[in-house]
Amino acid sequence: GQNIDQPTEMTATEGAIVQINCTYQTSGFNGLFWYQQHAGEAPTFLSYNVLDGLEEKGRFSSFLSRSKGYSYLLLKELQMKDSASYLCAVDNDYKLSFGAGTTVTVRA
Amino acid sequence: EAQVTQNPRYLITVTGKKLTVTCSQNMNHEYMSWYRQDPGLGLRQIYYSMNVEVTDKGDVPEGYKVSRKEKRNFPLILESPSPNQTSLYFCASSPPPQNKNTGELFFGEGSRLTVL
């Protein structure tokens, strides 16, 4: 079976940094996605990690440790528009398993 | 404009009345998939298709059927809907998989289905 865990909610202040953790136990692994989903909208792609290490893309960075079954998404210089749900998903031979998502609320 | 289009966006129906949710993409993507999203459970994959005439079950296929007769279309069929299929449904597509990776998914806007 697939088990993907991430915190349910996080709150942070505008301009701050927030780290969203994701741990996984899956029957296979090809890579790990992070998606952003605003309320009432479709998810949009943020990052995809295949190899261990940190990948930076503007204000967002994603880290992967395959040996630990662990990833995190780092959001820097938080803006109000970053208030959304962040979804971690494990890619296993064309099958995608998502975590339940982490709702991030950015306060002024 | 590159997009994934789902129809209908909203539907209220009754138990047992067959329905189809259509999904069409104009990006010539080979991979397409269907998900349902429920509070507290996140997105769960229903079915996926790697190419025309090739479909496979995801994690929650029970009560659903799909077909992939053309590359651009991937309809989701509920032969006999039940209240537990009330959910928000998303269709998604991605470029040809490489090295068994799905690639970035492009999602449709979602179809909110209520079964009474």
Side-chain angles (χ1 to χ4, degrees):
Chain A
Q2 321 295 345
N3 190 26
I4 300 169
D5 289 319
Q6 47 182 135
T8 305
E9 293 180 341
M10 301 182 76
T11 301
T13 306
E14 200 173 12
I17 299 173
V18 70
Q19 177 174 315
I20 306 169
N21 296 324
C22 172
T23 58
Y24 63 90
Q25 289 178 305
T26 57
S27 56
F29 181 88
N30 293 117
L32 189 142
F33 285 98
W34 283 98
Y35 283 87
Q36 180 191 60
Q37 186 178 25
H38 285 100
E41 298 182 8
T44 55
F45 172 82
L46 289 177
S47 66
Y48 183 53
N49 292 67
V50 176
L51 301 175
D52 291 354
L54 183 69
E55 291 201 8
E56 298 183 78
K57 194 184 292 186
R59 294 189 297 113
F60 293 2
S61 304
S62 57
F63 171 84
L64 175 67
S65 170
R66 289 172 296 171
S67 62
K68 295 181 179 177
Y70 169 69
S71 173
Y72 68 73
L73 179 70
L74 195 68
L75 286 62
K76 303 176 194 172
E77 301 169 16
L78 279 172
Q79 302 175 9
M80 299 300 288
K81 67 179 182 179
D82 297 329
S83 290
S85 185
Y86 292 85
L87 314 178
C88 165
V90 171
D91 184 353
N92 176 22
D93 287 355
Y94 314 117
K95 292 181 71 170
L96 268 191
S97 297
F98 283 81
T102 300
T103 299
V104 172
T105 301
V106 181
R107 293 181 177 169
Chain B
E1 180 189 355
Q3 58 185 6
V4 178
T5 304
Q6 297 179 224
N7 279 297
R9 296 285 317 283
Y10 302 91
L11 179 64
I12 300 174
T13 189
V14 295
T15 299
K17 185 176 181 181
K18 180 179 178 180
L19 69 92
T20 299
V21 185
T22 63
C23 175
S24 180
Q25 50 95 3
N26 62 1
M27 295 169 279
N28 201 36
H29 286 166
E30 293 181 357
Y31 182 93
M32 297 185 74
S33 55
W34 275 103
Y35 302 84
R36 60 178 289 173
Q37 188 171 35
D38 303 289
L41 295 177
L43 282 161
R44 292 180 291 168
Q45 191 175 47
I46 303 171
Y47 270 95
Y48 64 96
S49 169
M50 288 164 53
N51 214 326
V52 176
E53 303 292 359
V54 180
T55 62
D56 271 300
K57 296 177 181 178
D59 292 324
V60 288
E62 296 77 19
Y64 304 94
K65 287 174 58 177
V66 293
S67 68
R68 189 88 183 275
K69 296 189 172 74
E70 305 165 285
K71 197 172 189 177
R72 64 182 293 127
N73 295 323
F74 190 44
L76 179 70
I77 304 156
L78 285 73
E79 292 273 3
S80 183
S82 62
N84 65 13
Q85 292 178 296
T86 292
S87 187
L88 177 60
Y89 292 86
F90 285 101
C91 177
S93 72
S94 75
Q98 296 177 355
N99 299 322
K100 296 188 175 182
N101 301 322
T102 57
E104 174 188 345
L105 284 174
F106 294 82
F107 284 86
E109 293 183 306
S111 297
R112 187 166 292 282
L113 172 65
T114 301
V115 183
L116 302 176

